[in-house]
Amino acid sequence: MAVTRDLALQFAQMLVVLLLSPLLTGFVRKVKARLLRRQGPPLLQPYRDLIRLLRKDVVLAESASWLFRAVPYIIFAATWVAASLVPTFRSGLMFSWSADLIAIIALLGSARFFLALAGLDVGTSFGGIGSSREVMIASLAEPAMLMIVFTLALVAGSTQLSTIAAYIVSGAAGLRVSFGLALPALFIVAIAENARIPVDNPATHLELTMVHEAMVLEYSGRHLALIDLSSELKLLLYVSLIACLFAPWGIAAPEADAQALALGVVSYFGKLALGGALLALFETAIAKMRVFRVPAFLGAALMLGLLATLLLFVSGTL
Amino acid sequence: MTVVYALCGVAALLAMAPAAIALSASARSTATVYGASLIVTLTLAVISLICLLGYLPRSAVTLPLGLPWLGAHFRIDALSAFFLVVVNLGGASASLFALGYGRHEHSPQRVLPFYPAYLAAMNLVVLADDAFSFLVSWEFMSLTSWALVIAHHRVAENVRAGYVYLLMAGFGTLALLLAFGLLAGGHGDYAFDAMRAAHPPMLLAGLVLALAIAGAGSKSGVVPLHAWLPLAHPAAPSHVSALMSGVMTKVAVYGFVRIVFDLLGPPDWWWGMVVLAIGGATAAMGVLYALMQHDLKRLLAYHTVENIGIIYIGLGLALAFRVHDMPLAAALAFTAALFHVFNHSIFKSLLFFGAGAVLNATGERDMEHLGGLIHRMPQTAFVFLVGCVAISALPPLNGFVSEWLTFQAILLSPQIPAWGLKFLVPAVGALLALSAALAAACFVKAFGVSFLGRARTPAAAHAQETDGNSLAAMYFLATLCLLAGILPGIILDALAPVTQSLVGSGMPHQAGLQWLSVVPIAEGRSSYNGLLVFVFVVLSGSVAAIAIHRLASGKLRRAPAWDCGYPDPSPATQYTASSFAQPIRRVYGASIFRAREIGEMPPPGSLAAARLTVELRDLIWEGAYARIAGFVGFAADRLNVLQFLTIRRYLTLVFTALVLLLLVLAIWP
Amino acid sequence: MRGNLTFDIAHLLAGSLVLVSFLQLYQARLYALLNIYALHALVLAASVAWQAFVQGAPHLYVTAAIALVFKAIVIPVVLHRIIVRLGIHREIETVVGVGPAMLAGMGLVALSMVVMLRVTPGADPLAREDLAFALSVVLLGLLMMVTRRNAVSQVVGFMSLENGLVLAATGARGMPLVVEISVAFSVLIAFIVIGIFLFRIRERFDTVDVQALDNFRGERR
């Protein structure tokens, strides 16, 4: 009985993250539009976009290979598995012990590896621009993320997300300096990984201002739908991750009853809304950086993460 | 008895060398030699695997060869069994690959006699149980690989590569000779058993460590002793490059582990720090060098340097944990290092085989003359892709598991009370994370520029798929990558006897765990299940594919590339290797390589071509190697005067030497 | 540490001061630097006020007020006006790039942590770690003075160094003269700032030709 319940909850989590991610993106766009005194697209527009793309033909470049056609599925699979392992409304999911935080980050890294390859596949210069900039950004964002993981793991004594979340909820961690350093670093990394302003502009289709959009320039139809869904999933993953690590109150414990689960779901929706609104506010308030200022920006995140880890190595109470 | 079987296999390999010379006229020489090597190395691999798993006894034997009062001691214990598996697995796959690749060799008589001798030498180094046979086998290994490096001697840069290689190999052997001399002590007992029993004072032990790093480290390619590696490894034929990068560097790691972990006894407080720092620097520098290359084999050779750095990071952590009496953590770090030894030998060999296949098919090593090979050589492209994913440490393949274990070991190190390590370990952890991310970038470049896109030259446009034997070897290695990634617990359990004998403890037993997970320390602390991750990813991908093809439009049509409405028919407008690396070169290269880009634009109206020159300087070469070479040249010039003295001056020299020696004899107490 | 909120908030404020010092190192524009310095003084005021609350020492509230009024408001505004009037070049030239400066800053923080924790093994943990952070702030201020060519950024570095000293003084309990020392330091800083800029005005109005000045001094860049 408990096994079937756990299994059902794991599947519920997978479906929830899949269905909610376009809604989060639609919410962020709506808030941004309102901040700019526009009406903005309706909240459910991303769903309509996905359905429209699914119905269209795929137009494939003549020089595209089998890898180009396989990559959207690979990216989607990796991102969906990673998103399913981040606790949203309940911690201690059935398969959460199979991949810890490092493995989740590495899964996202696999997705990015294949996306960069897809950018190079057709043999145009735009794909090359996107891929080369993407790997430059990744070369700094991934180490910064790993340093943040180290900070959290050194405090909580484990790299398992559920254990970390449970530790922070229990209040044993307190308000630590290293957490205060890791939070801005995680925020910067999340911005870079999700291709938001100031690192990349998700709304533009102008060649020289884009990184992510340049890599997927040649995609169309159902492939583009899958890639868009994957990036929306990734945004949801990062917002859930920040909520789970730094604001874990309300997440249902592994042995919780229906009431706690309902509370978990409601608090999760609230955190998503808050996160989306903050992201929209931040994106509206700041301008996009020149590409070669991004390494300094991400280098700051790496330094913050390294400083937090160093403080924890030197003194266990920091 | 086991060691006798192993020695018989080695003897068979050695016998093949003169047989190859005899057969070199015949047309079937290639197939015979490589086929026989394949069979022998496969047998040796199986024997050593059975010995490692404990089903054959560990044994030693002394042969009446070599020095009369010493003999030649050979032993197979847990550590040598593991490294024998690595060596012979690499040798077997290289022989299988060469069955197809070797047919394109222009001068087989320069390669065939030395190849089995090289394999035999590597096996002998791992089997040796006294300093003399170890050093003789080591030198034999260097000499045979040197002969293979200069096999294509008509190319000038190969000859130069061979020259630098010989110099560095000689330097390495000298360092190891001194190290063994110090270990043997005053009475000159060179057997490893005697060295193990003797406990040298700490100062001497520190000196031996430094010499071991210089000797074994230079052979494995630690920075700054790595300079020969990217010259020599690409110069050799591709299956030999795979052996040199994938296997010989591991034999050098074996030498280091044998001296430092086995023969030297309890470590001193600073040993772990030195090895850790060297490992971190090597990893970062190796991958940065690799990113700047556009020659495929040179990129792979520099990348070997990075992976050796990762192995040394694990070894340094193991030493640090040992000093502070944390056996479980030391076992974890040591196992991570050994697992990476195994992983790297597999995927580096796979990648070099792919490069060799490309070289055979197109005649080009330069990535900027390739492109679009995924259409012409689909199977080679697929296995090369598996190798790239594995080496970039991406789940669910094997590279990720050894990196994950190293990270877990780093997370255990705050418990070490040494203050120097509290500084050093976070820095090295950041360097490790940085090199992992840069490695992924490097292999996106390597695969993307060579195999994807459109063909940049006619040679690439007319490439043919590789032959069956080479593909079989590559598929075999790719399957091993996948299996080692999904079922790492089996390998971790196989490594337990090695760590038990050298570090005093093994990792927790993995075989009985639920769903074949890997739990390095304790269940609640961290765990990883490669199989489940792989199954989930495959399932999600399949569900998505099925759902999409049911619900969405299945239609597809081909058209010219969109390219924002301005498609350019010339394949020269694609990104090249240098342009792909430009952002990274700009971020990291300006300080480390003094990278400069000089663009010369012709004046308006002129039809001349624009030119972009990228200048990179190898600061280690200029600062260390060129300086030493310059100094040697300077000293030699000065000493040249001694060639042209008069007879009276020569007599004065002899007279002065005689008087000095008599003085010393008179004064010495 | 577990569940001890006062401990945590004091550490958090001290750590934020270190973070703001790093932010100062990162800045490339002069106005942004002045804003960050105002933030630095604000965080210092909050930290001192919290110490006043925790230690029950009312004279520290006065120090906090001085920091807030003088350093967070008056001095940045005055510097802003001076920069506008003298037309000082608004970009900060650095001797070393941002990357190496940040790396050096990290090394300095690690060094001060290790030194403080080794040298005071028996003291009160709250005071020890706050002192370590204060030493980091002092060293980061010095780093800023050493790696910037612009006079204003050197002044800002000096003032953030002094902020670190104030943090150290409040962290270690029992210093009744803190109020007087704070006022004296602030006045001293004000005089130094005015002095530097008077010198610069004299320099600027004495000759317009920098080349001639360079030749006269016989120095080559």
Side-chain angles (χ1 to χ4, degrees), chain B residues 608-626:
Chain B
R611 185 171 290 267
L612 176 71
T613 315
V614 175
E615 256 183 30
L616 292 167
R617 289 166 50 185
D618 187 345
L619 293 176
I620 297 182
W621 183 271
E622 288 176 25
Y625 292 80

Side-chain angles (χ1 to χ4, degrees), chain B residues 228-247:
Chain B
W228 62 274
L229 206 148
L231 292 171
H233 286 199
S238 304
H239 55 298
V240 176
S241 306
L243 278 181
M244 288 174 79
S245 253
V247 178

Side-chain angles (χ1 to χ4, degrees), chain A residues 54 57-58 60-64 97-98 100 117 121 123-124 126 129 132 139 154 157-158 160 218 222 313, chain B residues 375 404 407-408 414 422 452-454 517 525-527 529 537 552-553 555 557-559 562-563 574-575 580 588:
Chain A
L54 284 174
D57 299 352
V58 165
L60 212 56
E62 279 152 355
S63 48
W97 47 265
S98 66
D100 62 348
L117 283 180
D121 188 53
T124 63
F126 289 111
I129 292 180
S132 64
S139 75
L154 286 172
S158 160
Q160 296 285 19
E218 303 287 335
R222 56 182 185 270
F313 261 78
Chain B
H375 301 285
W404 185 78
F407 283 137
Q408 294 293 339
K422 285 191 193 286
L452 300 177
R454 297 173 280 163
S517 302
R525 198 186 153 102
S526 51
S527 63
N529 193 318
V537 169
S553 151
K555 288 189 283 210
R557 59 187 160 92
R558 292 269 178 177
W562 160 237
D563 213 11
Q574 300 177 83
Y575 255 47
F580 189 86
Y588 301 98

